Amino acid sequence: MVANERKGSSSSAGATLAERVNTIFSLKLQAAVDTKIKTIFQRFQRMATTVSPCLQLSCSSWKSPLSYASNAMAAGPMLARRFSGPLLRRAFNGRIITRPRSVAVAAWKQEVLWAEAPVVEADMTGESLYHVAVDISDNPELMAGHTNPGQFVQVRVRDSKPTFLAIASPPAVSSGGRLEFLVKDVEGSTAALICDLRKGDTVELSQVLGNGFDISQISPSHQYSTVFLFATGSGISPIRSLLESGFDAKNRSDVRLYYGVRNLQRMAYKERFKEWESSGVKIVPVLSRSDDDWSGERGYVQDAFSKAKQVQNPLATGAVLCGHKQMAECDTVMREREMDMCLV
């Protein structure tokens, strides 16, 4: 009997040891896969911010870097690969509970169709920022191609290298024969050539590219009562298109735009703030290099957001980010608050 007890004790100890080994192995495997995915995603993120004028991120309550891969999408006309596939689901025992999202893995490869368009407006709207409008009334394809805020075109001046510009105007303006852009003047770039143009000059435009923001992801409004919009610098351009397209902001309890720039001189569309606020959007300007007279938020948009009030219903919250990739820190704040963000 003693021998049987010892044998049972030995078997139990062996089973416990095996369980510990399996647990350690599983944890190491998960950590290795997490690290690899995070590295790959960061590489894709750099590619995406190079190719596309806007980057959208969403976050999940799960703390693994895999949630970045399964919930992130680089806006723009790029080939995509699904990350939330069966292999990864099996590796993590089916714990990926969000809908699969796309991650850019290659540069834009769609054939470009160029068309000339005359410039009808070219005015300085802020320090190093220009409002440029072109007439596309002679191009029905361009007029019909802009269907969603967040889409963009390629633009070139004569034989210059094409640059990507987000469309700042809402689709309704495009259907009337006009495209508007917010262009940052960068010395030596095609953008600088565009900023030097005057009324009557011509540019060449590609067809409208990208799918834009999928507003259906945050509809109906009573189910997604909270929407956060984040923009820095000229990244406000596609956000303006979204705001002026309308996404039922008045019927949502909390819609906030965190808009970060260096100083007030670099803040575009100040004249539109009143109109945006009347549509139900609270605007939170954030200055990184403000003067002593500034009484608003200072620092960066992620800093302002981290100080904001808690969200009433994290599961009914959406977010759109456009601008510098450092704004992805907002994702960290959201995850710390266990917010399950819906990608737009």
Side-chain angles (χ1 to χ4, degrees):
M1 184 172 181
V2 174
N4 288 337
E5 288 180 354
R6 288 178 179 174
K7 183 177 179 180
S9 176
S10 176
S11 298
S12 175
T16 302
L17 178 60
E19 289 174 359
R20 289 180 179 176
V21 169
N22 285 335
T23 300
I24 293 172
F25 176 78
S26 297
L27 290 174
K28 287 187 175 181
L29 176 61
Q30 179 170 333
V33 175
D34 278 356
T35 301
K36 184 63 175 178
I37 290 174
K38 184 177 181 180
T39 301
I40 293 172
F41 173 68
Q42 288 173 341
R43 189 180 306 148
F44 289 163
Q45 188 184 46
R46 288 193 294 270
M47 292 169 59
T49 52
T50 300
V51 175
S52 174
C54 23
L55 174 67
Q56 302 173 75
L57 291 177
S58 69
C59 65
S60 166
S61 58
W62 185 32
K63 300 301 187 290
S64 167
L66 182 60
S67 61
Y68 282 94
S70 63
N71 288 313
M73 179 177 75
M78 295 166 284
L79 299 181
R81 175 178 298 158
R82 295 292 183 182
F83 251 94
S84 300
L87 181 61
L88 290 181
R89 288 183 184 276
R90 286 198 298 271
F92 287 86
N93 298 321
R95 283 188 288 171
I96 305 174
I97 59 174
T98 55
R99 293 186 296 268
R101 304 298 180 196
S102 301
V103 178
V105 297
W108 175 80
K109 292 185 177 180
Q110 186 178 349
E111 181 184 0
V112 181
L113 304 175
W114 294 103
E116 282 195 349
V119 175
V120 293
E121 282 185 39
D123 303 311
M124 195 172 194
T125 188
E127 186 179 304
S128 301
L129 292 173
Y130 287 79
H131 167 76
V132 178
V134 297
D135 182 358
I136 59 169
S137 57
D138 290 337
N139 194 322
E141 291 80 8
L142 267 174
M143 293 170 60
H146 187 203
T147 56
N148 293 312
Q151 292 179 293
F152 56 97
V153 297
Q154 285 196 83
V155 184
R156 67 185 182 187
V157 180
R158 297 178 291 278
D159 296 326
S160 69
K161 181 180 178 181
T163 188
F164 290 87
L165 291 180
I167 301 172
S169 48
V173 173
S174 302
S175 63
R178 178 185 175 103
L179 284 181
E180 298 180 2
F181 307 97
L182 181 65
V183 187
K184 183 178 180 180
D185 189 358
V186 179
E187 186 177 355
S189 68
T190 299
L193 297 177
I194 297 172
C195 293
D196 287 337
L197 297 174
R198 294 295 177 264
K199 184 177 180 179
D201 292 336
T202 60
V203 296
E204 285 188 281
L205 304 175
S206 72
Q207 69 270 39
V208 177
L209 306 169
N211 296 322
F213 303 130
D214 185 2
I215 306 303
S216 67
Q217 296 287 342
I218 53 172
S219 299
S221 57
H222 68 271
Q223 290 184 11
Y224 297 92
S225 56
T226 301
V227 176
F228 297 126
L229 310 169
F230 301 91
T232 58
S234 57
I236 191 65
S237 182
I239 295 294
R240 175 204 154 189
S241 182
L242 175 62
L243 291 175
E244 296 181 6
S245 295
F247 59 103
D248 212 14
K250 274 192 173 181
N251 291 322
R252 304 177 194 269
S253 61
D254 187 5
V255 180
R256 283 177 255 166
L257 166 60
Y258 290 87
Y259 180 18
V261 292
R262 180 179 297 180
N263 51 48
L264 279 177
Q265 291 70 39
R266 295 200 175 202
M267 184 165 284
Y269 301 137
K270 292 189 291 289
E271 72 282 0
R272 296 179 178 270
F273 285 2
K274 191 172 182 178
E275 175 189 345
W276 294 350
E277 289 179 329
S278 68
S279 71
V281 180
K282 179 183 178 181
I283 300 175
V284 184
V286 185
L287 304 185
S288 60
R289 299 183 186 178
S290 59
D291 55 32
D292 295 336
D293 296 331
W294 176 247
S295 59
E297 295 288 345
R298 300 171 185 264
Y300 300 96
V301 292
Q302 57 267 34
D303 301 326
F305 179 71
S306 66
K307 296 187 295 184
K309 66 178 183 179
Q310 296 291 327
V311 176
Q312 297 298 321
N313 187 357
L315 296 178
T317 302
V320 182
L321 293 82
C322 295
H324 300 301
K325 62 183 180 182
Q326 286 84 354
M327 285 197 304
E329 291 179 23
C330 293
D331 172 82
T332 302
V333 176
M334 295 170 188
R335 284 149 57 86
E336 287 173 350
R337 297 180 183 181
E338 296 187 349
M339 294 168 57
D340 185 10
M341 303 303 295
C342 176
L343 178 65
V344 179

